[in-house]
Amino acid sequence: MNIILLGPPGAGKGTQATRLVETRGMVQLSTGDMLRAAVKAGTPTGLQAKAVMDAGQLVSDEIVSGIIGDALDALPQETGVIFDGYPRTHAQAVSLDAILSQRGRKLDHVIELAVNEDALVERIVGRFTCATCGAGYHDTFKRPKVEGTCDICGGHEFKRRPDDNEETVRTRMAEYRAKTAPILPYYEAKGLVDRVDGMADIAHVGEAIDGILDRVTA
Ligand code: AP5
Ligand code: MG
């Protein structure tokens, strides 16, 4: 099964994708995570992407579609994939169709996480991750069980993303509204979209997604 999690910055795409990786053995392909890894490694792609990401704008369609194709090539054919943060433009949506069909895959479903924009700034500005294993947390909504210690690996160092400040978040939201939300009709016309209330708590959003995926696979 290949699915897209679609939603604005802070909607919970990464949080829910991580859950699906654990519960369904799917693989999460997050273009944001892959670009951040490229920036950290100082690859030519990373060097090109860094300033664009720090400003909250979109990296070029060619770069991200190239990354997605390469990532799929590294996976066994039968592995289910969750696309997190891709596609983000109409051109990327069209590319994804070609990328999938060239690899004998197809898109099974699109889940839209519908959220109230006002809540997103709070979610994003409060987000942090374990510097060792990458587990995600939030100052208010998802604190480590033991203060200062990662629940997953026991690490004590945490980090925040450079683009997680209020000003950049506003630009990221504007990019979503202008370029990403308009791809929904492309998938609606194919009958592939279900919408989930992303304002519910993390567990309830997960249950709603499970209900949809169980129905799609039945
Ligand atoms: P990317 O990394 O994809 O960032 P984003 O889309 O802005 O989304 P986020 O990762 O911020 O949010 P999320 O939905 O994953 O939320 P999360 O689960 O963490 O992209 C970053 C940049 O890379 C882009 O700006 C662009 O420059 C570039 N890029 C990436 N892909 C690209 C593409 N395809 N094309 C061009 N450029 C691209 O949750 C957020 C916080 O809220 C967490 O702390 C979490 O604990 C908490 N939370 C989650 N769910 C809930 C809930 N239900 N209730 C309360 N709190 C919650
Ligand atoms: Mg994310």
Side-chain angles (χ1 to χ4, degrees):
M1 183 163 52
N2 303 297
I3 64 167
I4 294 172
L5 291 183
L6 193 75
K13 303 180 295 293
T15 302
Q16 296 302 330
T18 306
R19 229 191 99 262
L20 293 173
V21 167
E22 285 161 10
T23 58
R24 295 188 183 242
M26 298 175 80
V27 167
Q28 171 192 14
L29 294 185
S30 158
T31 39
D33 287 349
M34 292 187 273
L35 288 167
R36 279 184 289 280
V39 170
K40 196 173 172 200
T43 66
T45 297
L47 292 174
Q48 231 179 308
K50 186 177 185 330
V52 179
M53 293 174 76
D54 286 350
Q57 288 158 353
L58 294 187
V59 175
S60 79
D61 293 334
E62 292 70 25
I63 288 183
V64 290
S65 293
I67 290 179
I68 284 288
D70 291 346
L72 282 174
D73 287 339
L75 291 177
Q77 175 91 30
E78 61 282 4
T79 312
V81 172
I82 308 148
F83 295 99
D84 160 4
Y86 179 92
R88 260 175 150 97
T89 63
H90 186 263
Q92 291 178 26
V94 173
S95 292
L96 179 60
D97 284 344
I99 287 168
L100 289 173
S101 74
Q102 284 156 8
R103 289 162 180 79
R105 289 177 177 262
K106 72 172 175 56
L107 185 64
D108 296 289
H109 217 65
V110 177
I111 297 177
E112 181 196 0
L113 294 169
V115 278
N116 163 359
E117 276 203 12
D118 295 338
L120 297 182
V121 174
E122 185 189 8
R123 280 196 192 176
I124 289 181
V125 173
R127 169 169 58 187
F128 60 98
T129 54
C130 171
T132 311
C133 73
Y137 297 97
H138 190 279
D139 290 330
T140 311
F141 307 123
K142 197 183 172 201
R143 300 198 63 85
K145 292 191 183 88
V146 177
E147 197 61 40
T149 304
C150 175
D151 297 349
I152 308 296
C153 75
H156 297 297
E157 256 186 73
F158 296 89
K159 59 178 184 181
R160 291 179 191 256
R161 276 169 45 178
D163 60 343
D164 278 356
N165 56 76
E166 181 159 355
E167 191 193 343
T168 310
V169 170
R170 301 266 177 217
T171 307
R172 285 158 58 194
M173 283 177 188
E175 289 282 82
Y176 180 83
R177 249 182 272 120
K179 296 171 186 164
T180 308
I183 68 178
L184 270 164
Y186 179 79
Y187 292 119
E188 278 160 355
K190 298 173 192 267
L192 289 177
V193 182
D194 265 299
R195 173 183 280 223
V196 163
D197 175 15
M199 294 308 295
D201 63 45
I202 293 172
H204 282 101
V205 176
E207 283 166 21
I209 292 174
D210 281 341
I212 292 165
L213 296 184
D214 289 345
R215 197 193 73 224
V216 171
T217 49

